[in-house]
């Protein structure tokens, strides 16, 4: 425990920024886990360049990790920063704009040399600037030098020794915010245990950072955030992609099906592959294909064989998968297609978030080719929605699009662990074999308009599927005009009927009022927080966050019409808004941002308020 | 109880076959239906997967499980199916445009992975279904609908590509040489690993007679050498010619002038594909073209075995996965 004054606060937003390679993501992850273990509610936002190692010290190479930890329930990683840790001038100039006035600025003074100024394209040392010193509580710490001293006994080369400075920074941050060192010490042991000299050096650096905070005169006080009042239960901290992968494994167990995952590496979806491939003892088979098309096609092949089949990618890969997805829809085979959206179009902003593939999911295939689309709203929600995707796919015999995004995928939050035994089973049935001469009808439909999932190996059910239009019931190739119209209509009806079996749209707030905020996907937390603040300020604002995007919940039209205005904030140019307007003829208003960054709560509040009756027109 | 004995007709679906009259595809279909009963694999355990093109209508005509998929991708569907259902016998039916143009990438990768399935590549050196454009195997200089001044593309040899991808079974046959075709298809089915059978198939509408030098009985003897494992390479009406290896080249010799001991003995089991590659590069009109099995190497692990073995091993060493344990892994905390 610290001997200095401890100030109690309700929440802290801190960002750690340095060169990609400085270990900022590791630092952030450790701080997050430690805070979660301390019982805080946490939300994170990692932000890193697309280049593996952008030129050192340049603005392009800045890697950042933001975390908010709080004693109250939070839904975003925070807008403005209470504290910013920077390892070099480039990190300072690119991040300082987000630090609140009076906030804590900790700089690695050793990273501020003439060479670093040149790389960051700044004329003079920004730490000397009056505006910096006047606006923030600046702490200049010789982290590199202090780290070298701390690890000098461990016999490391200067280069390796310098690499420990992120642990020094971590130790200092832990002291400042009253975090326990224990989880990170355990992490060091697990991660570097095979290299004892590196493990002990990192531990020494971590402890040195903590001791620096405790002993130096500069820091007069530290801060304490008490545990949040979360629902009782067992929790862990989880990232979106990880939750999604675990959800897929759970769905496979719940349906008593082995899991086949066909994919091709792409940011930000690859971590799903990395996670799944660890779980072969659950019957998980991962296939790293030669390209996106092979990945989705192998998935369809596996689905034909009766396996739970999943493919995942990001927008550019989904574009390549489009033709095969059309086939999957035509074959009426169940599978899950995950799109972890990123900034588009084309290669776009690979490491930045966006939600601009909704229309691609709706319409990005030739012909009339409707697919169900659902979207998780937060990292932990990825678990539930992965299960839901497979449930719909099986029930409907259709590929289901699961739209995640980079913000959810890399972000993390505390996850209340479900009791697996309490999750409902996913019932899968295959027609049994017959040795009669009765012809098998592979396109005979049930009450959901689904056809039977007859799988190879079953006697007497031999049939052929394919991308040519099929005759109703028999599945024979058919060019009959009326049959084509009937089949197109039937496939559309099949997807539309899902609306009968999904929950009605819920609303935070009253079911009528001045303004309804409608959101989907990863903007959930920011929109919810903004709406709650507006409600607290007395405004008649409500929030509907849509997780089922196609078909939409059955009550949504009435809901939209119950408000004077509907505001649809999206990290795209208005894709959900376009769908809502065309479907319900409601004049939804857009609030759109495509900067590769999530919404801040404050900009959403401003947008909401500008459409409220009391607002003075600009 | 004895298994019912199936006949060729049992493998025919109830669908009318709709290829052009005189198309070589009929012969391949007939041979396939003849060979399948001999393999002893039940119809319901047999799957045909095709891409797009005339040849790719094939699955509709078989009374087995089947999938008519998308252009060039049949090997990938087959890979996903075989990886998860190793109990099935999987055939890929494709054409020269399908496999080598749009599907070139997948063609290479299915072969190097050695997925245990059988690819039958119908090569008529033309695009039939899209009506007469040149294909990746069309001869240089050939005038087609899309090459009025003659094709300037160098043609691709599927056998060479397959050998370069380290395929474990590579063979060629002719639609018109039905007995030979049946033999090769059977050999392909019996091979464990990916087998590739290139079938010279006549498109009598858009490229009639393109391979007449090999197809027509009269010309065949002089233009084709039938490979047999352990036998010398001989050809000609009276087997009067042979092939020998001279330095780095294959050379045609008159058997009256050269002792038989000098002739090249075909070794389909040689894991080193160098000489098999030389055979694959023998081209009409300078050399007779080989038919039969160029390569049949056993003992190479298959993709489907390996992916399933890893799952088995993981279960043996770590036990069947426990979901509650899995989600609870790592640092957890309890809120009361």
């Amino acid at each position: 425990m610290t001997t200095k004054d401890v100030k109690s606060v309700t929440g802290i937003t801190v960002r750690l920024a340095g060169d990609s390679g400085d270990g900022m993501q590791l630092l952030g992850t450790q701080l997050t886990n430690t805070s979660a273990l301390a019982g805080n509610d946490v939300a994170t936002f990692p932000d890193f360049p697309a280049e593996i190692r952008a030129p050192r010290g340049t603005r392009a190479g800045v890697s950042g990790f933001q975390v908010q930890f709080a004693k109250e329930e939070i839904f975003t990683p925070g807008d403005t920063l209470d504290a910013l840790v920077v390892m070099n001038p480039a990190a300072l100039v690119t991040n300082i704009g987000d630090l609140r006035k009076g906030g804590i600025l900790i700089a690695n003074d050793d990273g501020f040399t003439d060479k670093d100024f040149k790389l960051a394209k700044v004329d003079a040392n920004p730490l000397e600037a009056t505006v910096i010193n006047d606006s923030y509580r600046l702490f200049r710490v010789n982290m590199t030098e202090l780290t070298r001293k701390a690890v000098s006994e461990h016999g490391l080369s200067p280069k390796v020794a310098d690499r420990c400075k992120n642990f020094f920074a971590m130790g200092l941050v832990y002291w400042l915010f009253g975090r326990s060192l224990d989880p990170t010490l355990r992490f060091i042991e697990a991660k570097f245990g095979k290299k004892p000299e590196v493990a002990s050096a990192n531990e020494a650096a971590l402890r040195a950072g903590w001791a620096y905070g405790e002993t130096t005169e500069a820091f007069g006080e530290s801060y304490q955030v008490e545990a949040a009042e979360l629902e009782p239960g067992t929790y862990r901290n989880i990232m979106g992609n990880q939750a999604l992968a675990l959800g897929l494994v759970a769905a496979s167990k719940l349906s008593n099906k082995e899991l086949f995952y066909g994919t091709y590496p792409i940011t930000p979806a690859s971590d799903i592959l990395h996670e799944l491939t660890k779980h072969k003892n659950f019957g998980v088979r991962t296939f790293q294909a030669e390209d996106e098309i092979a990945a989705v096609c192998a998935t369809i092949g596996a689905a034909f064989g009766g396996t739970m089949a999943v493919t995942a990618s990001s927008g550019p890969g989904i574009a390549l998968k489009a033709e095969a997805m059309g086939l999957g829809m035509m074959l009426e085979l169940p599978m899950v297609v995950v799109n972890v959206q990123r900034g588009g179009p084309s290669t776009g902003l690979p490491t930045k978030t966006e939600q601009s593939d909704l229309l691609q999911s709706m319409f990005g295939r030739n012909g009339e080719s409707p697919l169900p689309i659902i979207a998780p709203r937060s990292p932990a929600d990825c678990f539930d929605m992965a299960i839901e995707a497979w449930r719909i796919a099986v029930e409907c015999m259709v590929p289901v699009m699961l739209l995640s995004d980079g913000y959810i995928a890399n972000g993390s939050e505390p996850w209340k662990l479900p009791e697996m035994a309490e999750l409902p089973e996913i019932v899968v049935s295959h027609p049994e074999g017959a040795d009669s001469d009765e012809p098998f009808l592979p396109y005979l439909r049930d009450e959901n308009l689904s056809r039977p999932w007859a799988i190879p190996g079953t006697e007497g059910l031999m049939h052929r599927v394919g991308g040519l239009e099929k005759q109703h019931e028999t599945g024979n190739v058919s060019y009959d005009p009326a049959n084509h119209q009937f089949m197109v209509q039937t496939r559309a009806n099949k997807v539309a009927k899902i609306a009968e079996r999904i929950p009605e749209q819920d609303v935070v707030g009253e079911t009528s009022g001045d303004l309804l905020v409608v959101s989907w996907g990863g903007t959930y937390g920011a929109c919810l927080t903004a709406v709650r603040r507006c409600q607290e300020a007395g405004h008649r604002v409500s929030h509907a966050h849509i997780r089922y995007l196609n078909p939409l919940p059955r009550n949504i039209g009435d809901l939209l019409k119950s408000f004077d205005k509907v505001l649809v904030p999206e990290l795209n140019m208005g894709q959900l808004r376009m769908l809502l307007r065309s479907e319900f003829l409601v004049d939804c208003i857009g609030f759109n941002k495509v900067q590769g960054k999530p919404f801040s709560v404050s900009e959403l509040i401003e947008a909401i308020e500008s459409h409220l009756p009391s607002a003075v027109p600009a | 109880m004895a298994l019912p004995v199936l006949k060729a007709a049992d493998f025919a679906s109830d669908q009318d076959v709709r290829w052009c009259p005189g198309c070589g595809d009929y012969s391949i279909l007939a041979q396939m239906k003849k060979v399948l009963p001999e393999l002893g694999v039940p119809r319901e355990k047999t799957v045909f997967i095709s891409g797009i093109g005339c040849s790719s209508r094939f699955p509709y005509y078989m009374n087995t499980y089947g999938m008519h998929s998308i252009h060039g991708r049949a090997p990938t569907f087959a890979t996903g199916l075989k990886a998860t259902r190793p109990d099935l016998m999987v055939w890929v039916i494709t054409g020269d445009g399908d496999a080598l143009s749009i599907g070139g990438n997948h063609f290479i990768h299915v072969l190097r992975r050695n997925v245990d399935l059988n690819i039958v590549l119908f090569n008529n050196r033309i695009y039939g279904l899209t009506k007469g454009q040149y294909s990746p195997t069309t001869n240089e200089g050939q005038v087609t609908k899309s090459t009025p001044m003659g094709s300037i593309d160098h043609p691709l040899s599927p056998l060479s590509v397959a050998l370069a991808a380290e395929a474990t079974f590579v063979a060629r046959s002719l639609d018109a040489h039905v007995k030979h075709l049946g033999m090769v298809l059977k050999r392909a089915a019996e091979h464990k690993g990916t087998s590739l059978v290139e079938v010279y198939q006549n498109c009598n509408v858009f490229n009639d007679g393109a391979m007449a030098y090999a197809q027509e009985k009269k010309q065949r003897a002089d233009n084709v050498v039938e490979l047999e494992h352990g036998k010398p390479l001989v050809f000609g009406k009276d087997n009067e010619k042979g092939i020998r290896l001279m330095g780095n080249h294959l050379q045609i010799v008159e058997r009256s002038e050269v002792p038989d001991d000098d002739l090249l003995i075909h070794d389909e089991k040689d894991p080193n594909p160098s000489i098999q590659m030389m055979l694959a590069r023998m081209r009409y009109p300078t050399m007779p073209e080989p038919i039969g099995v160029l390569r049949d190497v056993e003992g190479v692990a298959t993709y489907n075995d390996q992916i399933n073995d890893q799952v088995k091993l993981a279960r043996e060493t770590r036990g069947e996965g426990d979901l509650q344990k899995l989600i609870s892994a790592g640092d957890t905390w309890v809120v009361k």
Side-chain angles (χ1 to χ4, degrees):
Chain A
M1 282 304 289
T2 177
T3 54
K4 294 186 179 173
D5 287 345
V6 179
K7 193 172 165 188
S8 187
V9 289
T10 54
I12 295 276
T13 297
V14 53
R15 188 184 297 165
L16 314 151
D19 207 66
S20 60
D22 273 347
M24 293 299 109
Q25 302 301 320
L26 175 75
L27 205 172
T29 311
Q30 283 300 306
L31 179 60
T32 307
N33 277 337
T34 304
S35 300
L37 287 172
N40 292 146
D41 197 2
V42 296
T44 67
F45 177 49
D47 190 23
F48 42 85
E51 297 77 14
I52 302 301
R53 289 284 181 270
R56 276 199 74 82
T58 63
R59 296 183 187 201
V62 174
S63 170
F65 193 105
Q66 182 171 325
V67 50
Q68 176 173 203
F69 44 94
K71 66 179 278 192
E72 286 161 352
E73 206 181 359
I74 50 165
F75 301 96
T76 77
D79 278 11
T80 53
L81 308 171
D82 300 306
L84 172 66
V85 180
V86 295
M87 305 304 277
N88 62 27
L92 176 78
V93 294
T94 52
N95 287 285
I96 192 72
D98 295 330
L99 184 61
R100 70 168 164 78
K101 292 280 177 287
I104 296 169
L105 175 61
I106 300 175
N108 172 23
D109 220 11
D110 293 326
F112 285 71
T113 67
D114 288 344
K115 196 179 136 209
D116 300 305
F117 303 147
K118 212 176 267 171
L119 287 169
K121 295 200 162 68
V122 293
D123 297 332
N125 190 345
L127 299 178
E128 312 281 354
T130 326
V131 59
I132 296 282
N133 283 275
D134 287 357
S135 308
Y136 311 106
R137 292 168 57 204
L138 173 64
F139 299 99
R140 298 169 66 164
V141 185
N142 295 100
M143 292 189 196
T144 312
E145 187 56 36
L146 290 164
T147 303
R148 278 184 198 168
K149 276 184 191 155
V151 306
S152 61
E153 291 166 15
H154 299 276
L156 301 176
S157 68
K159 209 175 152 188
V160 179
D162 285 2
R163 229 179 265 157
C164 300
K165 70 174 181 296
N166 61 330
F167 281 95
F168 181 94
M170 212 181 289
L172 178 54
V173 169
Y174 280 20
W175 175 82
L176 195 60
F177 301 119
R179 309 276 80 148
S180 163
L181 296 183
D182 293 342
T184 299
L185 290 171
R186 287 202 298 274
F187 165 82
I188 290 173
E189 178 55 33
K191 171 112 181 162
F192 302 105
K194 281 182 185 156
K195 292 181 186 164
E197 70 285 359
V198 177
S200 57
N202 281 334
E203 183 184 336
L206 181 73
R207 291 189 188 280
W210 197 91
Y212 180 85
E214 177 69 11
T215 52
T216 185
E217 293 294 316
F219 293 94
E221 60 185 8
S222 67
Y223 303 86
Q224 184 66 44
V225 180
E226 283 167 34
E229 283 176 16
L230 299 173
E231 232 181 280
T234 304
Y235 284 78
R236 71 181 275 196
N237 193 46
I238 195 141
M239 288 172 72
N241 271 343
Q242 196 182 13
L244 206 156
L246 296 181
L248 292 173
V249 177
S252 113
K253 278 275 170 192
L254 293 170
S255 58
N256 203 18
K257 283 279 170 195
E258 306 229 318
L259 171 59
F260 178 86
Y261 184 74
T263 192
Y264 186 77
I266 185 168
T267 303
S270 299
D271 281 337
I272 301 172
L273 169 64
H274 305 159
E275 180 67 29
L276 281 177
T277 202
K278 292 179 200 163
H279 307 308
K280 293 190 202 292
N281 62 327
F282 285 83
V284 175
R285 286 157 183 79
T286 57
F287 173 58
Q288 184 177 317
E290 58 269 25
D291 62 25
E292 297 282 2
I293 299 171
V296 65
C297 293
T299 301
I300 296 173
F304 184 59
T307 304
M308 174 183 170
V310 184
T311 188
S313 190
S314 190
I318 297 294
L320 282 169
K321 292 183 200 291
E323 185 191 5
M325 284 163 57
L327 177 72
M329 173 265 172
M330 191 87 180
L331 301 186
E332 303 193 46
L333 285 170
M335 66 199 84
V336 177
V337 181
V338 180
N339 179 354
V340 187
Q341 301 162 94
R342 67 190 207 184
S346 189
T347 305
L349 309 174
T351 59
K352 310 291 178 188
T353 199
E354 207 165 279
Q355 39 182 196
S356 49
D357 297 343
L358 177 57
L359 295 183
Q360 180 196 37
S361 308
M362 283 291 291
F363 306 118
R365 292 165 296 283
N366 62 303
E368 296 288 342
S369 185
L371 295 182
I373 306 168
I374 62 175
R377 64 186 180 191
S378 72
D381 194 39
C382 288
F383 181 85
D384 296 332
M385 291 311 261
I387 296 172
E388 194 63 0
W390 178 234
R391 187 188 305 283
I392 294 171
V394 167
E395 220 175 77
C396 239
M397 289 291 286
V398 71
V400 173
M401 296 283 316
L402 181 57
L403 278 184
S404 179
D405 63 49
Y407 175 78
I408 294 177
N410 291 320
S412 61
E413 65 177 349
W415 175 39
K416 188 185 164 199
L417 300 180
E419 282 299 324
M420 293 312 307
E422 286 168 17
L423 295 178
E425 189 192 346
I426 298 173
V427 180
V428 181
S429 64
H430 301 293
E432 281 175 24
D435 52 8
S436 74
D437 287 335
E438 284 289 298
F440 170 60
L441 297 174
Y443 283 78
L444 193 68
R445 294 178 186 279
D446 68 8
E447 71 279 9
N448 294 335
L449 300 180
S450 299
R451 69 177 198 88
W453 192 7
I455 56 174
T458 321
E459 204 183 338
L461 305 188
M462 282 83 75
H463 66 283
R464 277 66 54 193
V465 295
L468 287 170
E469 185 60 280
K470 296 289 174 283
Q471 189 179 44
H472 176 48
E473 297 191 345
T474 68
N476 292 329
V477 173
S478 169
Y479 291 92
D480 173 38
N483 178 73
H484 179 51
Q485 175 132 11
F486 175 81
M487 290 297 270
V488 166
Q489 189 63 57
T490 303
R491 289 186 291 257
N493 290 350
K494 181 174 81 162
V495 173
K497 267 172 80 74
I498 297 170
E500 297 167 9
R501 310 192 294 278
I502 57 171
E504 289 202 350
Q505 181 60 49
D506 57 357
V507 186
V508 175
E510 301 295 323
T511 50
S512 64
D514 293 331
L515 180 77
L516 178 68
V517 173
V518 179
S519 60
W520 68 279
T523 58
Y524 166 72
C527 289
L528 177 64
T529 309
V531 168
R532 281 195 176 166
R533 299 240 177 104
C534 290
Q535 288 171 343
E536 283 159 16
H539 298 301
R540 299 177 64 222
V541 179
S542 298
H543 180 212
H545 185 83
I546 304 178
R547 297 201 295 167
Y548 298 85
L549 290 152
N550 192 42
L552 288 160
R554 53 195 178 277
N555 62 329
I556 203 134
D558 290 342
L559 194 62
L560 296 176
K561 288 168 185 154
S562 306
F563 288 81
D564 290 347
K565 287 183 181 178
V566 176
L567 180 70
V568 187
E570 291 177 271
L571 299 176
N572 60 43
M573 295 304 281
Q575 301 195 5
L576 177 63
R577 176 170 48 116
M578 179 188 283
L579 296 177
L580 294 176
R581 287 173 75 142
S582 71
E583 184 74 21
F584 303 108
L585 300 179
V586 169
D587 188 19
C588 304
I589 307 159
F591 180 61
N592 305 93
K593 172 168 155 178
V594 275
Q595 300 173 2
K597 295 204 293 199
F599 283 124
S600 68
V601 173
S602 54
E603 70 189 340
L604 285 169
I605 291 174
E606 203 177 310
I608 293 168
E609 285 178 341
S610 74
H611 293 292
L612 291 175
S614 54
V616 182
Chain B
M1 200 179 86
L3 285 170
V5 179
L6 295 172
K7 300 181 298 295
D10 294 320
F11 282 90
S13 75
D14 60 357
Q15 298 299 293
D16 293 334
V17 182
R18 288 191 188 165
W19 285 313
C20 305
C23 176
D25 289 359
Y26 285 100
S27 160
I28 306 175
L29 180 65
Q31 285 313 305
M32 185 64 81
K33 285 193 286 203
K34 209 169 156 202
V35 164
L36 289 179
E38 296 172 21
L39 298 173
V41 178
R43 287 176 298 184
E44 64 268 17
K45 289 271 192 182
T46 307
V47 184
F48 282 87
I49 300 184
S50 64
I52 297 292
C54 297
S55 64
S56 289
R57 302 293 171 96
F58 198 97
Y60 291 126
Y61 308 137
M62 300 297 300
N63 187 12
T64 63
Y65 284 90
M67 184 193 290
H68 176 222
S69 75
I70 54 177
H71 207 11
R73 321 297 175 191
T76 65
F77 293 93
T79 298
L81 179 62
K82 186 73 189 184
T84 49
R85 293 291 309 276
D87 57 313
L88 302 173
M89 177 170 71
V90 181
W91 292 83
V92 169
I93 303 294
T94 183
D96 44 316
D98 194 51
L100 303 174
S101 221
I102 185 166
N105 189 26
H106 311 304
F107 183 70
I108 294 168
H109 288 283
V110 72
L111 290 166
R112 62 116 177 156
R113 286 193 183 104
N114 201 33
V115 185
D116 187 16
L117 46 82
N118 315 306
I119 305 172
V120 185
L121 193 164
F122 297 20
N123 184 3
N124 54 22
R125 302 187 181 165
I126 201 77
Y127 281 5
L129 196 71
T130 50
K131 298 190 176 177
Q133 301 85 359
Y134 74 114
S135 93
T137 55
T138 299
N139 288 334
E140 220 168 323
Q142 188 171 329
V143 172
T144 72
K145 210 178 258 180
S146 56
T147 54
M149 293 176 70
S151 167
I152 55 173
D153 286 19
H154 306 297
L156 193 67
S157 155
L159 299 186
S160 300
V161 174
L163 289 167
E166 313 272 330
T168 53
F169 184 97
V170 180
R172 177 191 279 154
S173 192
L174 312 166
D175 60 3
H177 197 352
V178 290
K179 250 182 143 172
H180 187 266
L181 176 59
M183 179 275 290
V184 169
L185 290 176
K186 194 164 179 225
R187 290 276 316 270
E190 286 161 356
H191 173 77
K192 195 164 155 54
T194 314
S195 49
L196 169 72
V197 180
E198 177 191 24
V199 184
Y200 283 173
Q201 175 262 338
N202 191 38
C203 175
N204 59 322
V205 174
F206 293 108
N207 207 16
D208 195 23
M211 285 152 294
Y213 61 90
Q215 303 271 30
E216 282 182 8
K217 257 193 178 155
K218 273 188 195 162
Q219 297 188 60
R220 187 185 296 158
D222 284 327
N223 297 330
V224 162
V225 51
E226 283 195 38
L227 303 175
E228 277 187 81
H229 180 60
K231 299 266 177 71
L233 271 67
V234 295
F235 67 107
K237 252 179 255 30
D238 304 310
N239 283 334
E240 73 280 12
K241 287 178 276 192
I243 291 185
R244 72 173 172 186
L245 184 62
M246 284 292 281
N248 299 333
H249 299 279
L250 295 178
Q251 189 185 44
I252 300 173
V253 294
E254 295 295 328
R255 289 176 76 188
S256 55
E257 293 166 15
V258 174
D260 272 5
D261 287 355
D262 279 12
L263 297 183
L264 179 65
I265 307 291
H266 180 51
D267 185 0
E268 64 185 30
K269 306 289 180 196
D270 189 349
N272 178 344
S274 306
I275 292 178
Q276 295 152 6
M277 182 64 97
M278 292 171 101
L279 298 176
R281 296 190 71 246
M282 295 203 298
R283 308 272 157 79
Y284 173 82
T286 51
M287 296 290 277
E289 298 191 344
I291 63 170
V293 178
L294 273 78
R295 178 176 175 81
D296 182 5
V297 175
E298 298 284 349
V300 179
T302 64
Y303 185 84
N304 38 289
D305 276 351
Q306 293 197 88
I307 193 172
N308 288 299
D309 286 351
Q310 285 197 348
V311 168
K312 199 166 155 248
L313 180 67
R315 281 179 158 143
E316 279 165 12
T317 51
R318 287 148 63 194
E320 177 66 38
D322 178 332
L323 206 51
Q324 196 67 42
K325 261 194 203 157
L326 173 67
I327 64 169
S328 317
D331 287 327
T332 59
W333 70 97
V334 176
V335 175
K336 288 191 177 143

